[in-house]
Amino acid sequence: MRRVFPLAASIWLAAAMVAGPVAAQDAPPRQAPGSTVPLAPAQQGYPLYPGHDDPRLDDAELAADPDEQVVAGLSSDAVAITASFDGSDILIYGAVKRETPIPPGASLEIIVTIEAPAQALTVWRKERRMGIWLNAESVEIGAAPGFYAVATSGPLDRILDPEWDSRYRISLPLALRAFGGKLNVEDAVPYTEALIRLREANGLYRLEEGSVKLVDQTLFRADISLPANLIEGDYKTRIFLLRDGEVVDVYRAPIEVRKVGLERWLYRLAFDQPLLYGLMSLAVAVAAGWGASAVFRKIRRA
């Protein structure tokens, strides 16, 4: 019986750890002074994401009717997260629509981004004090996407002008929104770099330079892999058409990522009926502990 309770406690703790991050996704993004990224583009109308019938919004920076426009499609606009979900691949393909010959000069470039819903979070720096590692200084980030992938047809720093990067928040550092509240540290950049580094290691943040295949400055395709640890929500796809470092046109499309089947039933049960979810988790933990103990006793007797 003494072996039952440690095993049951471990399973109960694992269930609590799974439920914790899910609740944090509902935290609303905040915006506040102290950001390392310009707020002006967002306040002027940061491009949002319409439905499939309206892939373009009025962008003040772009011409109303550009000479070259993106016409694109996705292999799938919905991803179902099941109990056996181990990732998915999205194919983004399209062409450049133009009524005139290909302009001379700088070549055409394509950038594709896929962005998950953002959430507020706090980045802590640990310090060793009296032989113990403790959370010390922290930085609050207003909103960071749970997943962010950038695929390009060439080196990002060569094909994208920094000014246009600031306007559309394309690169990874600029995808993070303003810090929430007053800064408690002198320099917040190491904290954002650490967040990006950790999420890159987990496959959640990606920069895939040269992965967009562009043929004759007209046809293009990009293959982007979605990891198994996706969060649920409405993802946003953006396709940028560039010449000489400037954005010529933007095409947007949504991707719906949802839990289905047993995954979704457990997810809703945890929020809608937490008492029942807790009792069920406890029962499963006790049953698993008793079963494991019975198996080991049987093996030892054999």
Side-chain angles (χ1 to χ4, degrees):
M1 194 63 185
R2 282 180 295 181
R3 296 176 181 173
V4 173
F5 288 109
L7 181 59
S10 300
I11 298 176
W12 176 258
L13 179 60
M17 292 177 65
V18 170
V22 174
Q25 296 170 9
D26 295 332
R30 293 176 293 168
Q31 297 253 343
S35 172
T36 59
V37 298
L39 290 175
Q43 295 168 346
Q44 293 173 358
Y46 177 70
L48 300 179
Y49 300 88
H52 294 286
D53 298 334
D54 186 18
R56 288 183 174 80
L57 294 177
D58 294 333
D59 295 337
E61 296 86 354
L62 301 180
D65 188 15
D67 295 334
E68 296 177 303
Q69 291 186 347
V70 180
V71 181
L74 280 65
S75 61
S76 175
D77 59 0
V79 176
I81 300 178
T82 62
S84 59
F85 179 75
D86 59 353
S88 180
D89 294 325
I90 297 291
L91 167 62
I92 301 170
Y93 56 93
V96 178
K97 175 184 175 183
R98 59 172 71 92
E99 303 292 340
T100 58
I102 297 176
S107 61
L108 191 72
E109 303 290 350
I110 300 288
I111 297 177
V112 178
T113 68
I114 295 182
E115 180 180 354
Q119 65 183 77
L121 54 85
T122 303
V123 180
W124 291 88
R125 184 174 64 86
K126 288 186 175 296
E127 286 186 358
R128 190 168 186 174
R129 297 176 181 175
M130 302 178 65
I132 302 175
W133 287 96
L134 300 173
N135 290 334
E137 296 175 326
S138 65
V139 167
E140 294 184 7
I141 297 179
F147 173 79
Y148 193 74
V150 182
T152 70
S153 58
L156 186 61
D157 58 353
R158 184 179 62 82
I159 66 174
L160 177 62
D161 187 272
E163 179 182 353
W164 288 89
D165 188 12
S166 298
R167 293 182 183 182
Y168 285 93
R169 301 176 185 270
I170 298 173
S171 61
L172 284 170
L174 296 185
L176 306 179
R177 301 297 191 270
F179 297 112
K182 182 180 179 181
L183 286 177
N184 299 320
V185 298
E186 294 183 358
D187 186 7
V189 174
Y191 293 80
T192 58
E193 290 178 344
L195 174 64
I196 293 175
R197 187 169 59 251
L198 290 173
R199 293 198 167 183
E200 283 180 334
N202 293 329
L204 295 175
Y205 286 178
R206 299 176 184 173
L207 173 58
E208 301 175 354
E209 295 179 321
S211 61
V212 178
K213 307 303 179 185
L214 182 61
V215 180
D216 294 335
Q217 299 194 47
T218 302
L219 302 176
F220 68 88
R221 66 170 289 170
D223 297 273
I224 298 180
S225 298
L226 304 179
N229 52 347
L230 283 180
I231 64 172
E232 194 179 31
D234 296 324
Y235 284 51
K236 307 163 185 176
T237 302
R238 296 183 295 174
I239 303 171
F240 296 94
L241 189 66
L242 303 103
R243 277 197 184 277
D244 200 18
E246 298 182 358
V247 176
V248 177
D249 189 33
V250 185
Y251 186 97
R252 305 176 180 86
I255 299 176
E256 185 180 20
V257 178
R258 293 285 183 268
K259 293 183 175 66
V260 298
L262 180 61
E263 285 279 322
R264 182 161 189 81
W265 182 77
L266 290 173
Y267 176 82
R268 294 312 320 167
L269 183 66
F271 285 95
D272 297 339
Q273 302 187 46
L275 178 60
L276 178 59
Y277 179 82
L279 293 175
M280 188 183 70
S281 300
L282 181 60
V284 171
V286 171
W290 178 84
S293 178
V295 170
F296 281 120
R297 281 200 305 270
K298 189 173 182 179
I299 293 176
R300 189 165 53 188
R301 290 173 184 170

